[in-house]
Amino acid sequence: MKVLFINETDIFRNNSSGITIRDLFGEQYCSNSYILGIYDGEFHFQKGKTLIWKKKFKYITFINVLLKMRKIDFDIAYTTGSSVKMLVFLSMLRIITKKPILVHYFDNWREIGKKRIKNILLSVIEKNNSTSLVISEEMKKHYSLTYGGKYEVLMVGTMNSDTVSTVFKDGKKTLMYAGGLHLGREKALLEIENTIKKNGLQMSIELYTFESDYKKYANLFDNSITKIHVDILHNDIIAKYKEADALLFVEMGYGSDINFLQYSMSTKVPEYLSIGVPIVCYAREDIAVTQYFLRNNAALVATRKEQLLDTLITLDNKEYVLSIVSNAVVASNRDFNRTRQRKILFETMNRIIN
């Protein structure tokens, strides 16, 4: 099957989108495929890592690119969609080449911004498709009711594990968070820090983030409780997970449009689930990740600030925590198994093509 990748960012970049797509399809598969990106205000068209076409972005450029697309041998295009600009291009590609386009919804972008225009364009892009891919059960339910059509759940990210790594030790516990501090996540982490400080809990926070976020938010934290690490390689962070006594997941939606995140399933979820270390989730109750953790009893969950103290204290309940961690590993191996994911992916594409 010949897949053409069309996304707003280069899938060979080591950001969350690039890492996720390459992991889903496989590095070798992506390297042997055509990739068209519309990013940094320019068109980028490449096979594997070799850039073979590039031009300053203007809408009139669409026509030139589309003419080139007619010469490319592909069976189906795969995209994570997003902006109106991208959807205009995809709809034109669908009309001119008559080739199917599979949309994989990572986030709820179709209900943000120019919602009506986006969904009109999507009706053109997905016309005659047997199904589309969504990132969570909650997104599948909502889109089915709201827009009709069929949706297959394909959560992304995989790190299978067969063991529980939790080691209960006396004394101070280390909580670890890895990721950006935007979208109000810094406020949620500060509330956890304040709960530790106010109640004299024997806990500290190891926070791994980006230099840009460090410059913006570092002075807000108490360095006697929270130690911040900057721009650590992804693989090195994975190795740090097992050294923690608990992993923090925060998504309270402070200062963000929670509608965009509501049905998302963060790539951090499979990483956390598979490690064998307890997860402390401080997030809104009405988002997909929280519902996933609750449904699988796979994390210690607080959905309000008033619940944080009891949730953190529960980390001392060894028997309960071990059951939570065991559930997390089971959920990881079931829902984020690479073989199962690729089976869903390629069976879905085959159905659309045929």
Side-chain angles (χ1 to χ4, degrees), residues 2-70:
K2 298 171 185 175
V3 178
L4 168 66
F5 294 92
I6 307 179
N7 291 285
E8 303 234 20
T9 60
D10 182 359
I11 68 169
F12 288 106
R13 285 184 179 178
N14 284 323
N15 54 20
S16 59
S17 176
I19 292 169
T20 297
I21 292 172
R22 296 199 311 274
D23 182 72
L24 182 59
F25 281 86
E27 292 276 354
Q28 190 63 42
Y29 194 98
C30 292
S31 295
N32 291 328
S33 299
Y34 283 104
I35 299 101
L36 175 63
I38 306 175
Y39 52 92
D40 295 340
E42 300 175 336
F43 273 106
H44 298 251
F45 181 54
Q46 59 191 65
K47 186 170 186 179
K49 294 187 179 181
T50 305
L51 187 66
I52 63 172
W53 199 83
K54 176 178 178 181
K55 192 169 182 177
K56 283 290 183 182
F57 169 75
K58 293 179 181 178
Y59 272 101
I60 191 65
T61 309
F62 278 172
I63 305 302
N64 296 327
V65 177
L66 288 163
L67 290 174
K68 290 178 180 288
M69 290 292 94
R70 295 178 69 180

Side-chain angles (χ1 to χ4, degrees), residues 30 207 266 294 345:
C30 292
L207 197 160
S266 169
L294 290 171
L345 174 64

Side-chain angles (χ1 to χ4, degrees), residues 24-199:
L24 182 59
F25 281 86
E27 292 276 354
Q28 190 63 42
Y29 194 98
C30 292
S31 295
N32 291 328
S33 299
Y34 283 104
I35 299 101
L36 175 63
I38 306 175
Y39 52 92
D40 295 340
E42 300 175 336
F43 273 106
H44 298 251
F45 181 54
Q46 59 191 65
K47 186 170 186 179
K49 294 187 179 181
T50 305
L51 187 66
I52 63 172
W53 199 83
K54 176 178 178 181
K55 192 169 182 177
K56 283 290 183 182
F57 169 75
K58 293 179 181 178
Y59 272 101
I60 191 65
T61 309
F62 278 172
I63 305 302
N64 296 327
V65 177
L66 288 163
L67 290 174
K68 290 178 180 288
M69 290 292 94
R70 295 178 69 180
K71 300 177 182 179
I72 300 300
D73 182 22
F74 70 96
D75 300 311
I76 188 170
Y78 171 92
T79 183
T80 56
S82 192
S83 71
V84 170
K85 175 177 65 181
M86 174 61 79
L87 299 181
V88 168
F89 180 82
L90 291 168
S91 62
M92 293 172 70
L93 179 70
R94 179 75 179 87
I95 292 168
I96 290 176
T97 67
K98 304 294 190 295
K99 295 293 180 68
I101 298 171
L102 172 61
V103 182
H104 195 169
Y105 296 89
F106 282 12
D107 299 294
N108 191 34
W109 48 261
R110 72 185 300 175
E111 296 187 334
I112 299 297
K114 298 177 180 177
K115 177 180 175 180
R116 184 169 179 272
I117 294 174
K118 286 182 178 181
N119 284 290
I120 289 172
L121 293 170
L122 283 168
S123 68
V124 175
I125 294 165
E126 299 183 297
K127 186 178 181 180
N128 298 326
N129 283 10
S130 57
T131 189
S132 299
L133 294 175
V134 292
I135 203 73
S136 68
E137 290 289 347
E138 287 72 20
M139 184 180 282
K140 176 181 178 179
K141 181 179 180 180
H142 177 68
Y143 283 9
S144 298
L145 291 172
T146 306
Y147 305 106
K150 293 184 178 180
Y151 300 89
E152 183 82 40
V153 177
L154 178 54
M155 294 181 279
V156 291
T158 177
M159 288 181 61
N160 290 352
S161 174
D162 297 317
T163 60
V164 173
S165 302
T166 298
V167 176
F168 289 96
K169 55 190 180 186
D170 296 327
K172 199 170 188 178
K173 286 185 169 58
T174 301
L175 314 181
M176 177 179 169
Y177 173 81
L181 302 180
H182 58 308
L183 301 175
R185 290 166 188 151
E186 91 289 355
K187 183 176 179 181
L189 288 165
L190 284 167
E191 288 177 349
I192 295 174
E193 180 189 82
N194 188 56
T195 300
I196 293 171
K197 185 193 304 186
K198 182 179 177 182
N199 295 280

Side-chain angles (χ1 to χ4, degrees), residues 114 128 153 232 293 306 324 352:
K114 298 177 180 177
N128 298 326
V153 177
I232 308 299
F293 284 145
E306 294 75 18
I324 290 288
I352 293 173

Side-chain angles (χ1 to χ4, degrees), residues 307-335:
Q307 296 174 329
L308 273 174
L309 178 59
D310 287 342
T311 302
L312 293 174
I313 290 174
T314 304
L315 284 170
D316 288 324
N317 186 333
K318 297 182 181 181
E319 186 176 347
Y320 181 65
V321 169
L322 283 172
S323 70
I324 290 288
V325 173
S326 179
N327 292 340
V329 171
V330 169
S332 169
N333 291 337
R334 181 191 66 229
D335 295 330

